[in-house]
Amino acid sequence: MRHVRAAVTAAPGAPFTLRDAVLEDPRPCEVLVRTTAVGICHTDLGMRDTWPAALTPMVFGHEGAGVVEAVGAEVTGLAPGDRVCLTFASCGACEQCAAGHPAYCLGARARNFSGGRADGTTPLSLDGAPLHAGFFGQSSFATHTVVHRRGVVKVPSDLPPQVAAPLGCSGQTGAGTVLNRLRPEPGSALVVLGAGGVGLSALMAAVAVGCDPVVAVDPVPSRRALAVALGARAALEPGDGLVAALREITGGGAHHVVETTGRADMARPALAALRPRGELALLGIGGEVAFDVMGLLSRGVRVHGVLEGDSDPGRFVPELIALRTRGLFPIDRLVTTFPFEDIEAAVAAMRDGSAVKPVLTFGDPGAG
């Protein structure tokens, strides 16, 4: 057991409050990680606001990076002192995991969204009572976390933790959608709707493989400017005339559109911006979206639903790090750091658009 500091959500929609909690030692298949950085994702905020009251108090956080402090007896390939990136949980045994698509693990819900481990237990306690955790298999809004071996990816020791952290979710979600699912040909036109951490990761991947033109759409001027600096030919504001402008820039319509905003009202312009036989990737729309099925059929359009970039993190995260080393995936440019204690300030910066990817950092290596 060890004492840790965690950002606790006491009830659905409640702010994050730093509390002292107790963390169990790792089980045989688990790894104890001292958190050095953790990204904040819109998913953390959306889930915090809608999380079941029965599963509170709860610790969120799912873009962790850190240093291994201990490994369970069954863990191989990791040792204390290793620098790691934390990612989503998967079983490793079902048909989807075996096929290299762990984002669609048949046991994903219990392992990522149940408020605990797959067996219903939680490694955290607060004031002697269970503290729900296990969000994306990690709950890394804490100074330490216990993670199943499959959710831990070793990274180079010289990779800054604030860069490693977003690779576990937003980086691989955006880039993986392009590289693993859409697989565009060089010279194909690609549009990204939403220039947040996921959208700009998709944009960087598209630029890296030679898509041209690459176009971003976002209401925040600073994010549009960053998109252009990262290689977009144009960055447009949403609104009237958007589809016409996109079709003109792309020479009659995009080959690929990546929708990252999660807004149902963006699905229709996303489809309209495609050329015949184009492909639309939906990354986060909640609820129902109505499609003109005959319009899809007559134009041969394909619609993809994509989770976590359809990536196998153990393979794909190192590929992204290699792209960064070559200067082709400068994810550093998306990051703004905040001390862990300023988590609510980081949330505000994400919501007002002033920070693309807020990353919390932990000051005292011996904390906890």
Side-chain angles (χ1 to χ4, degrees):
M1 299 283 190
R2 71 170 52 234
H3 292 279
V4 303
R5 193 78 165 154
V8 177
T9 297
F16 298 114
T17 303
L18 297 190
R19 300 287 304 275
D20 293 320
V22 175
L23 181 67
E24 291 180 358
D25 293 332
R27 292 179 174 182
C29 60
E30 293 177 335
V31 180
L32 171 66
V33 176
R34 172 172 57 83
T35 312
T36 52
V38 56
I40 297 179
C41 178
H42 283 291
T43 302
D44 292 306
L45 308 185
M47 295 297 280
R48 178 184 73 170
D49 292 343
T50 59
W51 195 251
L55 298 181
T56 58
M58 174 71 185
V59 178
F60 292 96
H62 67 286
E63 289 187 339
V67 180
V68 173
E69 289 208 338
V71 300
E74 298 174 4
V75 173
T76 60
L78 290 171
D82 286 344
R83 271 55 176 176
V84 293
C85 165
L86 307 182
T87 188
F88 61 90
S90 59
C91 74
C94 71
E95 62 178 1
Q96 294 300 322
C97 289
H101 302 282
Y104 306 103
C105 173
L106 300 182
R109 185 169 186 81
R111 294 173 180 273
N112 293 279
F113 306 112
S114 67
R117 298 183 176 98
D119 65 2
T121 63
T122 174
L124 281 171
S125 60
L126 180 67
D127 298 330
L131 173 58
H132 291 283
F135 189 58
F136 279 76
Q138 56 185 277
S139 286
S140 46
F141 285 167
T143 56
H144 293 76
T145 182
V146 165
V147 188
H148 191 280
R149 170 64 180 92
R150 282 184 56 79
V152 183
V153 180
K154 187 175 178 180
V155 300
S157 59
D158 60 350
L159 183 70
Q162 67 268 26
V163 175
L167 295 177
C169 183
S170 58
Q172 73 175 348
T173 295
T177 296
V178 174
L179 302 178
N180 298 328
R181 180 64 70 88
L182 296 178
R183 301 184 180 183
E185 295 290 333
S188 57
L190 187 143
V191 172
V192 177
L193 303 180
V198 173
L200 290 176
S201 294
L203 184 149
M204 291 186 293
V207 171
V209 296
C211 291
D212 186 31
V214 177
V215 185
V217 177
D218 197 277
V220 180
S222 61
R223 294 187 177 194
R224 295 199 299 271
L226 180 56
V228 172
L230 291 171
R233 181 185 295 186
L236 308 179
E237 188 174 3
D240 294 342
L242 174 62
V243 171
L246 290 174
R247 293 184 67 83
E248 180 178 356
I249 294 170
T250 58
H255 296 91
H256 308 282
V257 173
V258 180
E259 206 303 300
T260 73
T261 71
R263 292 178 48 180
D265 63 344
M266 292 302 293
R268 189 176 298 275
L271 283 171
L274 288 168
R275 66 181 61 202
R277 301 183 66 249
E279 297 182 76
L280 169 61
L282 300 175
L283 274 57
I285 289 179
E288 297 182 359
V289 177
F291 289 119
D292 174 5
V293 175
M294 185 53 67
L296 297 179
L297 296 176
S298 64
R299 297 171 58 219
V301 168
R302 285 172 282 182
V303 179
H304 300 262
V306 189
L307 291 176
E308 295 288 349
D310 197 358
S311 70
D312 181 345
R315 174 191 62 81
F316 190 59
V317 169
E319 290 181 6
L320 291 181
I321 294 171
L323 283 175
R324 174 186 176 269
T325 301
R326 294 168 54 198
L328 297 176
F329 193 69
I331 194 169
D332 315 46
R333 299 183 65 176
L334 312 188
V335 171
T336 303
T337 58
F338 296 81
F340 178 51
E341 295 76 12
D342 292 344
I343 185 171
E344 284 295 333
V347 169
M350 169 173 270
R351 284 182 162 157
D352 68 21
S354 58
V356 173
K357 173 48 64 177
V359 176
L360 306 173
T361 57
F362 296 74
D364 180 7

